[in-house]
Amino acid sequence: MPKREHLLKIGVSGIRGVVGEFLTPALACSFAQAFGTYVRGGRVVLGRDTRKSGEMLTHAVASGLLAAGCEVVEVGILPTPTIQIYVAATHAQGGIAITASHNPPEYNALKLFNAQGLFFNNYERAELLDLYHQSDFRQATNEEMRRVVTDYASAPKLHVDRILKHVNLERIRVRRFRVALDAVNGAGAMITPGFLRDVLGCELQAIAVDPRKPFPREAEPRPEVLGEIAELVRHCHREIGFAQDPDGDRLAVIDENGNVLDNDDVLALAVDVALGRLPGDVVVNLTTSAVVDDVARAHKRRVYRTPVGEANVVEMMQATNAAIGGEGSNGGIIFPAVHLCRDSYTGMAFLLDRMAETGETISSLAARLPKYHRRFGKVAYEHGRLGPLMQSLETRFPAAELDRSDGLKLLLPQGWIHVRASNTEPLLRVAAEAKSAQEADHLLKEVLRLFGA
Amino acid sequence: MAQQTAKLLRISQVGLRGIVGTGMTAAHVLDFASAFGTFLEPGKGVIVGRDPRSSGIMIREGVVAALMACGRNVIDLGIAPTPVIQHTIRRMDAAGGISIGASHNAAEWNALKFFGRNATYLSTAEANELLDIYHLKKFSFVEWDRLGELRGEDGALDSYLDELASVFDFDALKRFRVVVDCCNGTSSLILRRMNERFGFGFTLINEKMQGVAFAHEPATNKDMVALQLAPLMKPLNADAGFLFDADSDRVAFATEDGTAVSEEMVLPMLADYLLPRRLGKLVITNVSSTALVDEVASRHGGQVVRVAVGRQATIDALSSYRPEQIALAGEGTGAIMMPQFRFVYDGIASMLALLSMMRERGEKLSAIVNSYPKYSILKGQVPLVTQRIPALFTLLRSHYRDGRANVLDGLRVDWPDRWFHVRVSQTEPLVRIICEQRGDPPRDLFDALMERVRSFA
């Protein structure tokens, strides 16, 4: 069990918590009513991932939206990017996805989207939170009450059609790629098998594609928990394996040898595909590898860096009209020509398209990327320690170029170090990158030593 | 007038009731339904249904979420008459049920009615416990992997009709030509199905269920019967006409000659029909209903037990007798419970009992109505500041010392051929005055009372 203060979080990132005693239906209902008030009634799209609590929360959220005078369009269990695209394509006033993304199954949360199907920006979130705290809600009368309509069918097609505009479908289909999938019994289970098999013409071997069953592994597709699909890839001679998180925005990739690719390398491959097709720059967060800089440089494009968090990346992408962006370590690829959101489906299509185009294996495509070594660490966070720790880092590396936009990032001749407080857990996250494994080890060890960990 | 003074929200032993948006909000619904999920005995499912008001969907969503969060499996009947919801609670051996609907109130109102496992309304003790849980806001939410599930249920209406068919002689009753004003409520669901499945020939008006615009106020009283239903009786050559409220638990009627009959007549007529047929000799009603019921009861050796006005007092009275002692219970509003249906207010069953009475007596409905001695009732209301209420009753009691006083609910004073009752409305800041006399209207008594109350206020 996490510490008590992390069982429920109501803040600028919305509402998230352990369902039951903490994240109650009344809280979800009130928050939804605040949202319905913020979007001034109108049509709101409502979907969810496969968490057991999703159905209960769907009813609570629908109640709050209706009470604010909204019409509710229920799209059922769908990946978050699919819901976002549906919001934008159907000109709704907003959308809510009930998902705690990569968090464990006892958690759930509301992801909030504006009329463009984008995550609320920081200003929108702050205003919504004020409305919530003021309990200053629109209260529809019986006459103003709208209804709940369902549309389970049309969202996946909208999503797929957008992706297909940006890949060469014929050359993917003729290859009849042998593909493995682990959808963690999440929202991806609803559409990913059809996407890979029927749309992209793959020969599919899938596990964890039953949306009624619990998550068979940890929800976040980290390399350590992807043993089963890696084994499947090896055993069934797959050319590539894909693993999703419960709401289908994050993607992990397994090569034909059963090795989980580094997420930064996956992002770099996607960046290479996107920049080959479209003009525009690249936006990534501070913790993303320099491999992205190398790829962008080869296309003569610029890389913008933002604090960690999808909303930050998205905001900068809007501001710079970027061609592609993402958050390397999180397995997130954001390709705005499809939609300005993290989308595992675009990632899958891009990689298969590149394999079809080059005839190369995924492992050899990854091997062509400049090699960097990354190390990650966690240190228990205590309030008040962060400042002194950062100062000690500065003292230890006096020649470093500093970026203080999210914790502290030190750019060094041999690589970089990034230290920041986690948004969701009581942890300091430490990342270090260098050209050699030895140097990367050394940088991480140095930080942990300074932090007394 | 009622609109201006009506309270917008009432949370009481009777449940949750209010004008949606201005008084009753989603937050109230979530908390009250969570309290109910916490209150019920553990384990079993909960039956939910609603009347056609537009706000019913918002409330249903909130109720379902709260019950699921309490680990309850929810069986949603959708738009369903309250008696059908209650029937389903028993049939499915559920822990209880919630009927979402404001019954005889105008469309902008809504309410939650709570039923326990025996499918009757909660007793006062139970209702108090529910209220305590609501106010404490300590709800028994379960862990994420034990949340309840939601499903529908198709057979509820037919099973309810099977039960009615086992008590009433449908083959005989379907020969009557009956016109029904459904007032855009749920009764059309039952009556259409009776036409379809059993060959009844109900002619329905205002049969389309409406979320916002009811054809008229869905109250079961003489004035509402007179509006549209009574004028149709002769042109349609009907034997009887009935009017139901939005959730079908109350009934009022018109006779074949086009007369809108006082809603007060339903109780004494059903007492007259049921008392000779049943072992039980008790008629439970409140202190405001007609004295005709006493006269009818005494003819059959029955006895009238009078309790305070309001559903809660009647429910509590029921539980203080053995079921077999009771012939029926009800109000002057046309809300009647019969023991055959395990004490559920049921307008449809009441209608069928009246039709059975017509068949067995072989008489026209007007002839039955006119066979009773004439009682005349006058009703009025005066606004009053709440603080002054006790002094008013003291004053009135000293004025009318010669009658027999009953202070169960306000003040009722009885003389051999007439009575009055003055009480405070449960829903509005008003004093209600009601006078009845065997024979002609007690105009003198009524005017004097109105004057006294007005000058006092």
Side-chain angles (χ1 to χ4, degrees), chain B residues 272-457:
Chain B
D272 197 18
Y273 177 66
L274 289 170
L275 274 166
R277 306 162 64 92
R278 297 199 65 87
L279 198 61
K281 292 297 169 204
L282 297 182
V283 180
I284 296 172
T285 186
N286 63 47
V287 288
S288 256
S289 57
T290 176
L292 175 59
V293 73
D294 300 85
E295 188 169 335
V296 166
S298 66
R299 273 190 218 159
H300 298 293
Q303 189 197 338
V304 177
V305 177
R306 290 203 181 260
V307 300
V309 174
R311 186 169 74 210
Q312 209 56 52
T314 306
I315 298 297
D316 288 343
L318 283 175
S319 62
S320 54
Y321 297 97
R322 293 192 311 279
E324 64 270 22
Q325 291 178 282
I326 300 166
L328 79 165
E331 304 173 354
T333 56
I336 312 291
M337 314 177 166
M338 294 182 265
Q340 298 96 308
F341 302 105
R342 297 172 192 80
F343 301 108
V344 165
Y345 285 125
D346 187 338
I348 304 289
S350 302
M351 170 188 75
L352 292 170
L354 288 172
L355 291 174
S356 302
M357 193 176 183
M358 287 164 64
R359 189 185 74 84
E360 287 168 31
R361 299 207 178 166
E363 285 181 309
K364 293 193 162 164
L365 189 52
S366 64
I368 298 176
V369 170
N370 294 329
S371 71
Y372 297 103
K374 183 178 164 194
Y375 277 76
S376 302
I377 211 159
L378 294 171
K379 297 179 183 182
Q381 56 191 36
V382 178
L384 184 69
V385 278
T386 320
Q387 289 82 347
R388 302 259 286 156
I389 289 167
L392 171 68
F393 291 128
T394 313
L395 175 85
L396 290 177
R397 205 173 166 181
S398 67
H399 257 288
Y400 297 100
R401 279 214 199 100
D402 54 332
R404 187 163 44 87
N406 178 338
V407 293
L408 209 53
D409 179 10
L411 177 68
R412 172 165 163 146
V413 176
D414 273 87
W415 294 271
D417 62 344
R418 60 164 149 180
W419 58 271
F420 76 80
H421 182 211
V422 178
R423 70 177 185 94
V424 180
S425 162
Q426 292 181 344
T427 50
E428 296 160 73
L430 291 175
V431 174
R432 294 192 193 281
I433 294 142
I434 180 163
C435 285
E436 192 186 47
Q437 180 165 274
R438 197 175 196 276
D440 291 327
R443 186 52 72 183
D444 53 333
L445 175 61
F446 181 74
D447 289 346
L449 270 169
M450 288 294 283
E451 187 43 42
R452 275 190 225 290
V453 175
R454 270 201 210 105
S455 59
F456 179 83

Side-chain angles (χ1 to χ4, degrees), chain A residues 19-21 24-26 29 33 52-53 55-56 58-60 62-63 66-67 74 105-106 139-143 145 147-148, chain B residues 20-21 25-26 30-31 53-55 57-58 61-62 64-66 68-69 107-108 141-142 144-145 147 149-150 211-212:
Chain A
V19 175
E21 202 184 332
T24 64
C29 176
Q33 199 171 352
K52 175 93 193 272
S53 58
E55 192 186 354
M56 181 276 281
T58 295
H59 291 292
S63 182
L66 289 166
E74 268 190 39
E106 65 269 25
Q139 302 283 2
T141 62
N142 187 60
E143 257 179 67
M145 210 56 80
R147 60 208 172 115
V148 179
Chain B
V20 174
T25 65
L30 266 290
D31 280 351
R53 286 174 169 80
S54 297
S55 60
I57 301 163
M58 176 276 280
E61 292 295 298
V64 166
M68 289 174 80
E108 62 265 32
F141 293 129
V142 299
W144 65 278
D145 52 353
L147 292 168
E149 285 169 9
L150 170 69
V212 175

